[in-house]
Amino acid sequence: MSDAFRNWMEQTQKRCETDLSEFIPAPSTVPAHLHDAMRYAALDGGKRIRPLLVFAAGRLFQAPEDLLRRAAAATEMIHAYSLVHDDMPCMDDDALRRGKPTVHVKYDEATALLVGDALQAQAFLVLSEGDGDPAAKLAMVRVLAHAAGSVGMCGGQAIDLASVGLALTREQLEQMHRLKTGALLRASVLLGAMSGKLLSAEETAALDTYAAAIGLAFQVVDDVLDATADSATLGKTAGKDAADNKPTYVSLLGLEASRQLAIQLSQKAHEALQLFGTNAQFLHDLADLIVQRQA
Amino acid sequence: MSDAFRNWMEQTQKRCETDLSEFIPAPSTVPAHLHDAMRYAALDGGKRIRPLLVFAAGRLFQAPEDLLRRAAAATEMIHAYSLVHDDMPCMDDDALRRGKPTVHVKYDEATALLVGDALQAQAFLVLSEGDGDPAAKLAMVRVLAHAAGSVGMCGGQAIDLASVGLALTREQLEQMHRLKTGALLRASVLLGAMSGKLLSAEETAALDTYAAAIGLAFQVVDDVLDATADSATLGKTAGKDAADNKPTYVSLLGLEASRQLAIQLSQKAHEALQLFGTNAQFLHDLADLIVQRQA
C-alpha cells in the first residue's frame, strides 16, 4: 500500500464520517430517539469501502466534490441500513457489529426497524439534494434504487435466507452474492464515475467488470475471514456462517482454493481498469486492499 | 358523491392496480418468493387514497399521464411498505390487514422485513424512471424521500411507539400524526401538482394547508372508526388502539367532538382550494370522502 493511497484513504474515511454526521439529522432533531439511533448505526465504524469506491471512481473524470460526498454518504446509508435489518432477530440475529452491540440490542427491535427504514429514505434524500446536473443526479437515483431493491441487495438477502441449509452450486452462490453485496459495490463505482460525466457504453462495461470482480472477491475474502479470524478482529461474530449452516466459498471450494480465487478476481479487476490509465490508481489500490484485508 | 367523481375514482383505483402490477417485478422474476410477497403486500387492496390524491392534484395543471402514474405508484409503495413493517410483531403485531393475513403471517418475518425494504427502493426507482423533466422529477424524489424519512413517516412511527401509554396533549398527538400519516398524504398532493408544473410559493402553501387539513381529518376519522366500527368492516383489527393503550383523538376529545373536528378540518381543506377554481373539484370530493368514509 503506497503512502499516497494510505493518506487518501484515511482522509476519505474521515471526510465520510463528517459528511454522514452532517447528512443525518442531529440527535436533537425530533424525534431525538430515532436520530440518535440512526447516528449510532451509521457513524463511527466500518471500513467505508463503498464511499472509498465512490471517491476513487470520482477521480476517473474529476467529479465535483459535492456530488461525490452525497453519493458516498448515500451508498453508506444504504449499507448501514442493510446491516441494521440483517442483524435483527428475524434475520441473522446477531448481537455484535463493528465491535459494538447491534441496534436492536442497544435500543430495541422496533427502533432498529425504523432506523433502517429511515436511513434508506435519507440516502435518497441526500443524493437528490445539493448541486449538480439534474439529469445526471436522477440517473444516479435510478442506479442506487436499482442496486438497493428486489433485483439487487434486498433480492440477494432473500436468496440468502432461502439458501440456509441448502447445497448451492458455485453459480447459485455467485448469483446470491452478486445481488446481496455486489449490486451496491457496483453502484458505488458507477455513482462515483457518473458524478464526473455521462459514461460511454465501453466505460460502463469496464467499470461493471471491475465492480463485479471486486464484489465477488470481497465476498470470498469475507468467507475466508469468517472461517479463520476471531470475533475481536472482525468486530462481529466469527464462524457464524458455518454455525448457521450457510453455504460459503470456503465450504464449497475449501480454504486454499478460495484464497486463490480471490487473487484471480483481483487480477481481473486490475485488467478491467486499463481503459482509464493512471486516473484509476486508487481503484487499483482498493482492489488490492479488498483481497489483502484481515478484517 | 357525484357520478363523475365516483367513476373517476373507480377508474383511478383500477389504473393504480394495473400500474402497481406493472411497476413491481413479475412473480416469475428472481427471487420469485420476494416478488410474490411484494405483490401480495401492494396489490389487490386498499382505498388507494394517496394515488387518488396524486391524480386529483395532477388535474390542477394538466400533468402528463406517465409522471402521475409513477408518482401515484411510488406513494402507494411507500404506504404499503409502511403497513408491512408496522404490522410486524416488534411493532403493532397485527395479523389482519385489508381483510387478509399480514405479510409476516402469510410468509414470515424475514420476508416481511425484506418486502418493506424492497418496496421502498422500488418506489424511488419507479419515480426516477420514465419520461419527464429531470429537474422536476428530482424535486419529486426529494419530496418523497423527505416525507418517507425520519422527519416524516418514519419519524411519526417513532413518536407513536414512544407514546404508548403516555398522556399526550392535543398538540403532541397532532404532531405525531402530521408526521406518521400527514407527511405522505402531503407528498401525494404535492407530487401530483408538481407533475404538472413548477409550483409558486402561493400554490405550495395552499396545497400544504389542504393536505394538512385532510391528513389530520383522515386520522381523526381513523380514530373514530377504530372506536366504533367492527373488524370485518375495517378489514383490520378494530379497537386495537384502545387495547394497546394508544392515545387517540377519541380518548382525548371524546367521540362527538372528534366527529366535529373532522368536519371543521374538511371545511378548512375546501377553503384552501379556492385558489385553484374548478380544476380542484376532485380534491374537494376527496376531502369529503375522507371525512365521510365508513372504513
Side-chain angles (χ1 to χ4, degrees), chain B residues 19-96:
Chain B
D19 290 342
L20 284 169
S21 182
E22 178 189 328
F23 290 143
I24 300 175
S28 57
T29 305
V30 174
H33 182 77
L34 179 62
H35 290 126
D36 186 64
M38 287 168 74
R39 299 176 74 85
Y40 179 82
L43 298 178
D44 187 28
K47 295 174 286 285
R48 311 300 190 197
I49 294 283
R50 291 152 197 81
L52 288 169
L53 287 170
V54 170
F55 279 102
R59 294 170 68 95
L60 292 178
F61 309 117
Q62 292 77 46
E65 186 77 5
D66 179 68
L67 200 43
L68 288 176
R69 290 171 64 220
R70 291 177 178 278
T75 59
E76 192 67 6
M77 286 180 199
I78 295 287
H79 176 57
Y81 114 67
S82 79
L83 298 183
V84 173
H85 281 184
D86 199 28
D87 287 335
M88 286 178 69
C90 67
M91 299 276 285
D92 283 357
D93 193 12
D94 219 320
L96 194 62

Side-chain angles (χ1 to χ4, degrees), chain A residues 35 85 113 117 128 142 150, chain B residues 35 85 113 117 128 142 150:
Chain A
H35 290 126
H85 282 184
L113 184 58
D117 291 347
S128 62
R142 280 197 295 273
S150 68
Chain B
H35 290 126
H85 281 184
L113 184 58
D117 291 347
S128 62
R142 280 198 294 274
S150 68

Side-chain angles (χ1 to χ4, degrees), chain B:
Chain B
M1 197 187 298
S2 71
D3 284 348
F5 175 64
R6 189 191 307 274
N7 289 340
W8 169 83
M9 188 169 70
E10 286 173 6
Q11 277 177 9
T12 303
Q13 285 165 333
K14 272 183 205 158
R15 171 164 45 180
C16 178
E17 188 74 16
T18 313
D19 290 342
L20 284 169
S21 182
E22 178 189 328
F23 290 143
I24 300 175
S28 57
T29 305
V30 174
H33 182 77
L34 179 62
H35 290 126
D36 186 64
M38 287 168 74
R39 299 176 74 85
Y40 179 82
L43 298 178
D44 187 28
K47 295 174 286 285
R48 311 300 190 197
I49 294 283
R50 291 152 197 81
L52 288 169
L53 287 170
V54 170
F55 279 102
R59 294 170 68 95
L60 292 178
F61 309 117
Q62 292 77 46
E65 186 77 5
D66 179 68
L67 200 43
L68 288 176
R69 290 171 64 220
R70 291 177 178 278
T75 59
E76 192 67 6
M77 286 180 199
I78 295 287
H79 176 57
Y81 114 67
S82 79
L83 298 183
V84 173
H85 281 184
D86 199 28
D87 287 335
M88 286 178 69
C90 67
M91 299 276 285
D92 283 357
D93 193 12
D94 219 320
L96 194 62
R97 168 73 69 180
R98 294 173 174 173
K100 302 189 295 185
T102 47
V103 175
H104 69 275
V105 170
K106 170 89 174 172
Y107 298 84
D108 55 49
E109 278 187 58
T111 301
L113 184 58
L114 291 174
V115 160
D117 291 347
L119 279 174
Q120 177 165 203
Q122 195 69 15
F124 289 105
L125 183 62
V126 165
L127 188 56
S128 62
E129 287 183 331
D131 302 329
D133 171 45
K137 294 188 68 160
L138 195 64
M140 291 167 70
V141 169
R142 280 198 294 274
V143 165
L144 186 65
H146 191 267
S150 68
V151 295
M153 188 181 73
C154 287
Q157 293 272 29
I159 295 173
D160 190 14
L161 277 173
S163 306
V164 173
L166 295 183
L168 294 194
T169 64
R170 183 166 163 181
E171 285 69 30
Q172 288 170 323
L173 188 64
E174 194 170 313
Q175 189 213 23
M176 188 257 281
H177 290 307
R178 195 163 51 230
L179 299 182
K180 190 182 170 189
T181 53
L184 190 56
L185 293 170
R186 172 181 180 267
S188 303
V189 174
L190 288 182
L191 291 182
M194 291 168 80
S195 296
K197 78 175 190 68
L198 186 67
L199 304 181
S200 71
E202 190 187 12
E203 287 159 348
T204 302
L207 292 172
D208 268 348
T209 302
Y210 168 81
I214 61 157
L216 202 51
F218 187 87
Q219 193 55 53
V220 173
V221 172
D222 232 34
D223 288 351
V224 169
L225 290 173
D226 189 70
T228 56
D230 57 42
S231 301
T233 308
L234 290 181
K236 60 182 180 183
T237 311
K240 193 134 197 333
D241 291 342
D244 289 349
N245 200 19
K246 282 195 175 185
T248 72
Y249 279 96
V250 173
S251 67
L252 199 69
L253 306 179
L255 202 53
E256 194 45 41
S258 296
R259 285 187 172 126
Q260 285 303 318
L261 176 60
I263 292 168
Q264 284 164 19
L265 287 165
S266 142
Q267 286 164 350
K268 195 172 173 188
H270 289 308
E271 285 162 20
L273 293 176
Q274 285 176 355
L275 180 63
F276 305 107
T278 54
N279 285 349
Q281 185 55 49
F282 289 168
L283 288 175
H284 283 290
D285 292 334
L286 281 169
D288 289 336
L289 181 75
I290 282 171
V291 173
Q292 291 156 14
R293 72 198 167 98
Q294 303 299 319

